[in-house]
Amino acid sequence: MTTGYDRSNCPLPKKGIQSLIADALRDNWELAAFTDYKGATLMFRDVALKIARLHVLFKETGIKPGDRVAICGRNSSSWAVACLAAMSYKAVVVPILHEFKPDNIHNIVNHSEARLLFAAKHIWDHLDPEAMTSVEGVLSLENFNTFLSRSKALDNVQENLDGLFSRQYPDGFTSDNVEFTDADPESLAMINYTSGSTGFSKGVMLPCRSLVNNRLLAARAMYSFQAGYEVLSILPMAHMYGFSFEFFYEFSVGCHIYFLTRLPSPKVIFQALGEIRPRLIVSVPLVIEKIIRKNVMPKLEKPSMKLLLKLPVVGGIIRRKIGRELVEAFGGRFFQVIIGGAAFSHEIEQFLASVHFPYTVGYGATECGPIITYQDKDSFVPGSCGVPAPNMEVKILSSDPQNIAGEIVCKGPNVMLGYYRNDELTAKTIDSDGWLHTGDLGVFDAQGNLFIKGRSKNMLLGPSGQNIYPEEIEDLLGNMYLVCESLVIQENDKLVALVFPDYDEAGKQGLHEDGIAGIMEQNRKQLNSSLPAYEQIAEIRIRDEEFEKTPKKSIKRYLYQKQ
């Protein structure tokens, strides 16, 4: 077992979450803070006022620091306000992904013991109040009015909020009134319920130190950011990747954040990127891969283009031109695209590197709020996930970590306190020495760059005990004709590939069921020609529907393992 790579000697941030929020509000009072795409804009002063009014509501309702406040809805200005109000009040935020089914939402509200729930109307319309027995009130995310009240205090404060607010601020509310005291770094800031691809949701307890240290990394990664810069929030803020890198850091430095507020389809994202021209783009691989495969790759597959790309001088000129056009298509003003949350296609990554597109890939987990490794685009090694984040130690449990994959473990301020009300699972995940066991497999290079091989739970054993990483096979298969999504499973010592085809492209080519099956058989033979015998695919099984996915767009593998 290697000693790994240790960056635990970086200076820890001195300011806590509450001070960071207060500084952002005061320092950027007259700047635009949040805009709902195609909708209204809130200035920082507006955000401060709304936070102060919610603080009055919390206080008069009997909410105390440490109480749970849940939020469920699509990204929006009001989502951000509710979250910042709860955090600055030192309540524990419970962000709930709006994609969750009503039963999941009921369970999370109950399990977290949330006293208040902020919910979008389209979420509330499908919830059953009787299934959430402990919640005292449900407030609208649209206007903070009451959907449900089980508290006379809540009824009273909603009826008299203007008077109560005026009584607290008799001389009017100004930036001088914005002052929040910091919570202890070890105190609980957030319970984030995961929707992992390998099992059921777990309540990850993230302390203040985790959010603050992730902000330290963001500050180093986005060193050129200034107040007033535009950012587009695409990823769900209820997921730690979107929260930390598209919202909290940007807010803390005074950026103007646009919230998509709608389904983030590639078409809508592309339109918004062109209009807003953000200074940074944060994405999961699936979005980037779809855009590249749909809009770029078909042009490069033309015989004449393939020939030109092979010419040393001309090929280089064409690649640079493609890179410039791609940057412009993404808005033209960003300094880099940060990709993370799931495995990235090697083919797409090689293409981006070849056209000098400014991108980087990070690695993390909800349990680390989320970052474990990262590297800036200028030092990033293609194929890797960067080096350990500031103040983090990362090791690989292997006899030869540069050549033999082993489990990735880490330690440092990013690591969670544990799983809420689940001591048994916490003990299995964080060992007695404080190392978080990620369940992921990887290797280091000589410079400390981490290369992910797959998840230990996904690893399959070949007929003679060989390690098979299905993600690597899926990556190859995903680059083949008409393959939209794939999943490799094991049945009776044979490997089977489940494939959801690109039915749109098949339709354009006039291909129906038999034609698609024929193409897939050709793909299987071509794939097997590049794989060792123990990794050969015995069958490709075609699916009519997309795989069910997590909010990070990772396939929920556990649903398909026994097919």
Side-chain angles (χ1 to χ4, degrees):
M1 182 176 70
T2 182
T3 304
Y5 292 87
D6 182 353
R7 297 187 67 202
S8 60
N9 58 350
C10 301
L12 285 166
K14 293 181 180 179
K15 289 193 174 183
I17 294 169
Q18 291 73 25
S19 289
L20 291 169
I21 294 173
D23 288 350
L25 294 171
R26 287 193 304 264
D27 295 346
N28 304 288
W29 195 252
E30 297 298 332
L31 295 180
F34 304 142
T35 296
D36 290 332
Y37 182 53
K38 304 292 187 182
T41 294
L42 295 180
M43 311 299 283
F44 275 86
R45 64 174 183 268
D46 300 323
V47 174
L49 178 62
K50 288 178 179 290
I51 288 173
R53 288 175 65 87
L54 285 175
H55 280 190
V56 172
L57 184 147
F58 293 159
K59 180 181 178 182
E60 295 296 327
T61 308
I63 301 297
K64 302 181 296 295
D67 286 344
R68 282 68 164 133
V69 175
I71 310 172
C72 187
R74 285 198 176 99
N75 291 5
S76 66
S77 297
S78 56
W79 197 109
V81 168
C83 178
L84 292 170
M87 291 175 70
S88 55
Y89 192 79
K90 293 190 278 194
V92 176
V93 177
V94 183
I96 304 175
L97 289 153
H98 69 274
E99 294 97 335
F100 281 174
K101 299 289 192 293
D103 285 350
N104 297 132
I105 298 172
H106 298 153
N107 291 336
I108 290 171
V109 170
N110 291 333
H111 186 265
S112 66
E113 302 169 300
R115 292 187 61 188
L116 287 180
L117 166 64
F118 289 87
K121 187 177 186 305
H122 73 277
I123 299 291
W124 171 246
D125 287 344
H126 294 91
L127 296 183
D128 178 5
E130 299 306 314
M132 298 180 291
T133 55
S134 63
V135 72
E136 297 171 24
V138 180
L139 305 182
S140 163
L141 258 186
E142 282 75 21
N143 52 27
F144 302 142
N145 288 341
T146 304
F147 281 142
L148 169 72
S149 174
R150 293 176 174 142
S151 162
K152 289 183 179 179
L154 178 58
D155 293 334
N156 181 65
V157 70
Q158 287 287 43
E159 291 175 6
N160 301 287
L161 184 56
D162 289 341
L164 292 167
F165 186 80
S166 297
R167 200 175 306 156
Q168 180 154 340
Y169 300 102
D171 298 324
F173 183 78
T174 70
S175 60
D176 292 335
N177 298 117
V178 178
E179 188 171 351
F180 312 132
T181 58
D182 281 331
D184 185 278
E186 289 296 321
S187 65
L188 182 60
M190 185 177 290
I191 304 176
N192 194 290
Y193 284 80
T194 69
S195 182
S197 58
T198 56
F200 299 101
S201 294
K202 305 179 288 288
V204 175
M205 296 191 293
L206 292 169
C208 294
R209 58 167 161 76
S210 178
L211 305 189
V212 171
N213 201 63
N214 269 280
R215 184 198 172 279
L216 171 65
L217 170 66
R220 295 187 176 196
M222 306 172 208
Y223 50 85
S224 63
F225 266 39
Q226 301 174 20
Y229 273 16
E230 297 86 355
V231 177
L232 177 62
S233 174
I234 301 171
L235 303 176
M237 290 193 292
H239 188 272
M240 292 312 301
Y241 184 30
F243 176 88
S244 295
F245 286 86
E246 277 188 332
F247 167 57
F248 188 64
Y249 170 72
E250 286 84 348
F251 167 80
S252 73
V253 295
C255 290
H256 182 183
I257 305 173
Y258 289 78
F259 298 105
L260 211 51
T261 72
R262 62 201 70 189
L263 184 67
S265 67
K267 181 179 179 181
V268 170
I269 291 172
F270 238 42
Q271 178 185 352
L273 289 173
E275 293 177 12
I276 297 167
R277 302 179 67 212
R279 303 288 183 151
L280 173 79
I281 297 172
V282 179
S283 179
V284 293
L286 187 65
V287 173
I288 300 294
E289 290 168 9
K290 280 189 173 181
I291 290 172
I292 300 297
R293 285 201 170 105
K294 288 285 185 182
N295 300 306
V296 180
M297 287 303 188
K299 300 174 184 177
L300 303 182
E301 292 299 319
K302 295 178 180 178
S304 57
M305 183 60 76
K306 283 185 174 181
L307 180 62
L308 290 172
L309 288 172
K310 289 181 180 178
L311 300 176
V313 177
V314 175
I317 294 172
I318 292 173
R319 286 188 178 89
R320 284 191 292 273
K321 183 174 184 293
I322 292 170
R324 288 194 297 271
E325 290 177 350
L326 195 57
V327 167
E328 192 59 35
F330 278 84
R333 283 201 301 181
F334 65 94
F335 80 101
Q336 70 178 357
V337 175
I338 300 176
I339 300 167
F344 194 28
S345 162
H346 291 307
E347 182 199 30
I348 301 298
E349 185 170 2
Q350 287 171 356
F351 163 74
L352 292 179
S354 73
V355 300
H356 306 286
F357 187 78
Y359 80 99
T360 186
V361 178
Y363 163 69
T366 302
E367 288 82 351
C368 287
I371 292 298
I372 297 173
T373 63
Y374 178 85
Q375 184 63 282
D376 183 77
K377 64 178 177 61
D378 295 327
S379 303
F380 173 70
V381 176
S384 79
C385 296
V387 298
N391 298 311
M392 293 293 288
E393 298 176 70
V394 181
K395 294 195 296 189
I396 289 176
L397 305 184
S398 167
S399 58
D400 184 2
Q402 291 188 19
N403 297 291
I404 300 174
E407 185 182 14
I408 302 163
V409 299
C410 63
K411 180 192 288 190
N414 288 11
V415 174
M416 67 175 180
L417 296 170
Y419 295 110
Y420 188 56
R421 298 169 63 185
N422 196 333
D423 294 340
E424 182 179 352
L425 183 59
T426 298
K428 289 180 180 178
T429 307
I430 303 177
D431 65 28
S432 57
D433 293 321
W435 291 96
L436 174 79
H437 290 248
T438 67
D440 294 323
L441 300 168
V443 295
F444 282 127
D445 68 9
Q447 287 71 46
N449 293 290
L450 179 67
F451 293 77
I452 305 294
K453 301 294 290 184
R455 284 195 62 81
S456 59
K457 290 183 179 179
N458 299 341
M459 189 183 74
L460 307 173
L461 287 178
S464 300
Q466 306 96 329
N467 291 343
I468 299 171
Y469 304 105
E471 295 94 338
E472 294 183 349
I473 303 174
E474 292 155 8
D475 187 53
L476 295 172
L477 187 55
N479 296 322
M480 293 184 162
Y481 185 51
L482 289 187
V483 176
C484 187
E485 299 174 354
S486 67
L487 187 72
V488 173
I489 63 174
Q490 195 169 37
E491 291 185 351
N492 300 321
D493 295 329
K494 292 184 178 180
L495 297 182
V496 175
L498 310 179
V499 170
F500 174 67
D502 186 340
Y503 285 110
D504 290 340
E505 180 63 24
K508 292 176 184 178
Q509 302 301 324
L511 294 171
H512 301 290
E513 187 175 334
D514 290 343
I516 294 174
I519 294 294
M520 292 303 159
E521 179 59 19
Q522 292 176 25
N523 287 342
R524 187 185 71 84
K525 292 177 179 178
Q526 181 183 344
L527 177 67
N528 284 345
S529 68
S530 64
L531 295 173
Y534 64 87
E535 290 186 342
Q536 301 277 302
I537 299 296
E539 175 191 356
I540 289 183
R541 201 171 293 161
I542 299 172
R543 291 177 51 80
D544 296 329
E545 298 179 344
E546 292 187 28
F547 294 96
E548 187 172 341
K549 301 181 187 70
T550 72
K552 290 191 301 181
K553 305 306 178 186
S554 300
I555 294 171
K556 293 184 176 180
R557 307 184 75 96
Y558 65 93
L559 296 177
Y560 307 96
Q561 297 296 341
K562 295 182 180 180
Q563 287 196 12

